[in-house]
Amino acid sequence: MSNLLFTSESVTEGHPDKICDQVSDAVLDAYLEKDPAARVACETAAATGMLLVMGEVTANCTVDVPAVARETLRRIGYGDPQFGFDALAVSVLTALNRQSPDIALGVNSGGAGDQGMMFGYATDETDAFMSLPVTLAHGLTRRLAQVRKSGALPWLGPDGKAQVTVEYKDGAPVRVDTVVISTQHTADTFHEEVEAAVIRQVALPVLPNKLMDENTRFLINPTGRFVTGGPRGDTGLTGRKIIVDTYGGFARHGGGAFSGKDPTKVDRSAAYAARHVAKNLVAAGIAKRLEIQIAYAIGVAQPVSVSVDTFGTGGLPDAKILDIVNHHFDLRPSAIIERLGLRRPIYEQTAAYGHFGRDDLDLPWERLDMVQRLRDEL
């Protein structure tokens, strides 16, 4: 990395895909609250006037799925018909079956519920150990929701997204080049009002002043109008914003989505474990940037492979760092679940604004609880 522009995006909780992620995780949380051993693989699809909640559930309890879905929509902000998706009027269809017994065989024995590879990443360029573009993009979308819910900008709708382009020189972020914010608004609000208010009350409070200059561009609702939003404007589907959920494209992603999956699914739990490993290694000063890959086979507890890449920033050879990982971190699915306490209803809160780098949540995979042990190892 020498001189380059890098862009990451985020979407608000009212984005159609994020609606589906949150409903799926709300259903998961509802089952885990009653039965911590519940097996859930829940996906949601949204379109005009309807939600379809589908997938597999095996649990020693029942959950009123339509009630959970409607409450999630109301919390997001779709309790007002003017934004095209009403929590009270929407049709909620459910198609939930029991988990396949063939999959259960592997999980019951302590193995992974499926094959796949997961990535974890951390960098020291921000206090959150995340890259700056995705950190700023999430900050903008969270701010959009904040000023909407507080009434500071009452004409804002729930749907929206942000994109931030950062200029890097010799691997370090030096300026914000371009900011794109698209936000739903009421029909009687003019573009000029939206543009001025979003820059003043959303963008400027979030973006670091020292990284702004006269050449920083702001593109607010570039088409000039964003009234039709949410599932009325576009369909939504669980798991369609996995790069928003993770590292904004700065690190690789194995392909598996998180939302709606209980922690026996390594798509979720192993990705959290990989982030925990990477963050603690970087916080301990072992590398400035680090990516770890973990891969599994269905029904097998031990990973089939673990690899580490420090992109030349490590204080030790990558092979030595891998030895440290293997010595200090048990990456079997059952061990990950126990160490991080993942059989709890903690997931809906992660389903918008990213699963990593969250300073507003106490997430177990974000804790720096291994730093001192790793420093002692050095």
Side-chain angles (χ1 to χ4, degrees), residues 4-312:
L4 60 82
L5 298 175
F6 194 91
T7 302
S8 294
E9 74 160 346
S10 177
V11 300
T12 66
E13 60 207 70
H15 184 280
D17 295 327
K18 276 291 145 202
I19 292 173
C20 296
D21 286 343
Q22 290 165 95
V23 169
S24 295
D25 271 339
V27 171
L28 168 63
D29 280 355
Y31 275 104
L32 290 177
E33 187 171 10
K34 294 182 176 182
D35 180 7
R39 306 272 177 84
V40 180
C42 172
E43 298 186 12
T44 304
T48 303
M50 68 158 287
L51 280 178
L52 171 60
V53 184
M54 52 192 166
E56 301 172 345
V57 174
T58 302
N60 294 319
C61 63
T62 59
V63 166
D64 187 344
V65 172
V68 171
R70 294 183 196 280
E71 173 58 23
T72 304
L73 292 175
R74 186 205 59 75
R75 178 190 56 75
I76 291 170
Y78 286 107
D80 189 337
Q82 72 170 321
F83 293 119
F85 205 62
D86 187 356
L88 293 177
V90 67
S91 297
V92 181
L93 309 177
T94 59
L96 296 170
N97 302 307
R98 291 182 66 83
Q99 183 182 61
S100 161
D102 300 332
I103 295 175
L105 284 174
V107 179
N108 293 341
S109 64
D114 201 355
Q115 69 180 47
M117 64 283 192
M118 296 80 211
F119 290 91
Y121 177 77
T123 172
D124 67 357
E125 71 182 60
T126 66
D127 292 340
F129 295 93
M130 296 283 285
S131 63
L132 184 62
V134 72
T135 300
L136 295 179
H138 285 319
L140 292 173
T141 52
R142 286 169 59 186
R143 179 68 179 171
L144 272 176
Q146 180 183 348
V147 297
R148 170 175 62 88
K149 293 180 177 181
S150 70
L153 298 180
W155 38 261
L156 283 178
D159 195 359
K161 56 176 61 176
Q163 184 174 283
V164 179
T165 302
V166 172
E167 181 179 350
Y168 283 79
K169 287 188 178 180
D170 298 323
V174 295
R175 61 181 293 272
V176 174
D177 183 80
T178 304
V179 178
V180 183
I181 302 176
S182 296
T183 182
Q184 188 182 14
H185 58 84
T186 56
D188 58 354
T189 309
F190 293 105
H191 175 68
E192 292 76 14
E193 180 182 0
V194 174
E195 183 176 42
V198 167
I199 291 176
R200 183 178 66 255
Q201 297 200 46
V202 177
L204 294 182
V206 170
L207 301 170
N209 185 61
K210 64 181 181 180
L211 297 182
M212 313 280 285
D213 60 29
E214 66 277 6
N215 295 317
T216 299
R217 295 187 299 164
F218 291 93
L219 302 174
I220 312 299
N221 282 8
T223 67
R225 179 179 169 88
F226 187 177
V227 173
T228 303
R232 187 178 179 184
D234 195 5
T235 57
L237 188 64
T238 298
R240 210 156 51 179
K241 285 290 177 283
I242 57 176
I243 301 303
V244 171
D245 286 342
T246 53
Y247 305 105
F250 229 95
R252 288 172 283 192
H253 192 293
F258 300 158
S259 291
K261 296 177 181 177
D262 75 80
T264 66
K265 281 71 172 175
V266 286
D267 280 339
R268 179 166 223 156
S269 54
Y272 289 169
R275 164 64 177 174
H276 184 240
V277 172
K279 183 176 182 180
N280 276 269
L281 288 169
V282 171
I286 292 176
K288 295 179 68 63
R289 287 177 64 209
L290 186 143
E291 183 183 75
I292 178 173
Q293 186 204 53
I294 313 170
Y296 294 88
I298 187 169
V300 180
Q302 289 289 353
V304 298
S305 70
V306 181
S307 64
V308 168
D309 187 351
T310 62
F311 311 97

